[in-house]
Amino acid sequence: MDDEQYTGLRERYRNFAEIETRGSSALYSEMAARVSQSEALLRLIARLPPAKQQPNLVFAATRRLFGTPADAADFERTLLAHPEPIRALILARSTQSNEPGRCATLLPAMARLPEPLAIIEVGASAGLCLLPDRYAYDYGRASLRPDGAGPDTPVFPCRASSDTPLPERMPRIVWRAGLDLSPVDLGDEEDVAWLQTLVWPGDDARAERLGQAVAVARRDPPEVVRGDLVDDLAALAARAPRDVTLVVFHTAVLAYVDAQKRDRFARLVARLGAVWISNESADVLPRVAARLRTAPPPGHSVLAVNGEPVAVTHMHGLSIDWLA
């Protein structure tokens, strides 16, 4: 095995074990560490297309087909014993985790905009993040619930810094739509099961909230159109009502397109006259991150409005620290 050839892959899984899953999933941390130390596993994963080598996708495909492993050794045995069906599912699926908890960090930014709002999410998956006004939130020092909330309405916990401008009511959203290369069908049980599998093992509360968000969305599903975030955005935006504030937003999406396309997307949003809300890792939008005084901690993203950073957020929406 050419060690230099696998250095990047080894480091990717080591980082996942030591940084991304720390304190969130002991099993995934153990599994990722095992991959980083196993030549057989690295060799097998390296045969996948680069975009399909991410830990969460490999781990989720294994779990979906053969159940959650008892430990890292069990995972290694399963993957080495069944490489072809796992590979087929990895190639067929993607990490469209569609974490609705991120709405807790999007809401303070949206609530500061002139109403009414028309919102478009790119990389919308099942469209769960298109419903920020239909969920409930516990910010620690304040809470917010939508009108008509019932016992099955998900309550997303989010520690909010004292500077965070928490809304006192839900923003008025009069139109919403999503754009995705491969929309997730909320009416398809296998699609929904895949979303659940993307939740890391050990995070039962997060899985329960995801199930509740799916139930909310199924009662009045948001429209998610199949299309590209650059090629098809203008046509979708043209359908939005006039005399409203058009908002184009995304969370953990632009990492899946190259830098040139990210720039084209940003320019397009500006031409559309939309408010651009991004919630991405610091390395994805370096010009946004360059405006920060300090780099965000591991597992966190930069929330920005029209390219100006306004907060540092947890990748699953568990915290928001507003920037003075």
Side-chain angles (χ1 to χ4, degrees):
M1 180 179 188
D2 184 347
D3 188 67
E4 187 173 321
Q5 180 183 355
Y6 295 96
T7 297
L9 188 59
R10 189 189 306 275
E11 188 64 21
R12 182 176 192 175
Y13 276 80
R14 184 180 293 120
N15 286 340
F16 194 77
E18 298 176 357
I19 298 175
E20 294 185 48
T21 56
R22 178 176 292 180
S24 298
S25 177
L27 178 59
Y28 267 15
S29 180
E30 182 185 344
M31 288 164 57
R34 184 76 168 219
V35 172
S36 72
Q37 299 160 6
S38 168
E39 291 192 4
L41 290 177
L42 286 170
R43 187 179 299 110
L44 191 153
I45 294 170
R47 290 200 290 266
L48 292 165
K52 298 289 187 175
Q53 294 173 4
Q54 61 223 68
N56 200 27
L57 181 55
V58 174
F59 295 168
T62 305
R63 291 174 57 216
R64 182 68 192 134
L65 291 175
F66 299 101
T68 299
D71 51 31
D74 185 23
F75 161 71
E76 182 171 22
R77 286 192 297 269
T78 301
L79 184 53
L80 294 179
H82 307 281
E84 291 312 313
I86 294 173
R87 175 185 173 86
L89 185 56
I90 289 170
L91 294 177
R93 290 289 187 178
S94 60
T95 52
Q96 296 172 285
S97 51
N98 204 197
E99 173 50 61
R102 293 174 182 146
C103 289
T105 59
L106 294 168
L107 201 65
M110 286 187 180
R112 291 161 61 89
L113 303 176
E115 297 179 351
L117 307 181
I119 63 174
I120 294 176
E121 182 186 13
V122 296
S125 185
L128 299 183
C129 287
L130 281 164
L131 307 173
D133 53 335
R134 298 183 190 171
Y135 306 138
Y137 306 93
D138 178 3
Y139 289 105
R141 58 186 174 87
S143 60
L144 188 64
R145 296 179 66 84
D147 293 337
D152 59 342
T153 300
V155 180
F156 292 108
C158 178
R159 179 196 57 77
S161 67
S162 59
D163 292 330
T164 303
L166 297 179
E168 296 181 356
R169 62 173 180 82
M170 296 295 180
R172 187 159 70 96
I173 300 172
V174 296
W175 184 87
R176 69 194 83 210
L179 193 62
D180 197 280
L181 287 174
S182 183
V184 173
D185 182 0
L186 289 171
D188 187 312
E189 292 300 333
E190 184 57 34
D191 275 6
V192 173
W194 176 249
L195 288 182
Q196 286 283 3
T197 307
L198 289 170
V199 177
W200 297 351
D203 203 343
D204 296 340
R206 184 177 161 218
E208 181 180 3
R209 291 191 294 269
L210 174 62
Q212 292 172 327
V214 167
V216 168
R218 278 176 164 171
R219 288 195 284 270
D220 184 15
E223 181 183 13
V224 181
V225 176
R226 186 180 301 274
D228 179 82
L229 82 172
V230 170
D231 298 338
D232 302 294
L233 178 59
L236 183 59
R239 294 174 46 196
R242 299 294 181 262
D243 301 321
V244 302
T245 298
L246 178 63
V247 181
V248 175
F249 74 97
H250 50 89
T251 67
V253 166
L254 293 191
Y256 298 98
V257 300
D258 61 34
Q260 183 181 24
K261 192 160 191 174
R262 294 171 203 167
D263 288 342
R264 290 171 58 204
F265 167 73
R267 291 194 298 270
L268 172 59
V269 175
R271 287 200 304 272
L272 292 173
V275 176
W276 174 30
I277 297 180
S278 59
N279 192 34
E280 300 283 349
S281 298
D283 59 341
V284 171
L285 293 171
R287 279 180 287 186
V288 172
R291 298 172 180 264
L292 296 171
R293 293 180 181 177
T294 58
H300 288 69
S301 304
V302 181
L303 179 70
V305 178
N306 292 331
E308 184 68 33
V310 297
V312 172
T313 65
H314 185 274
M315 62 180 175
H316 293 152
L318 297 177
S319 68
I320 179 169
D321 291 284
W322 205 259
L323 302 174

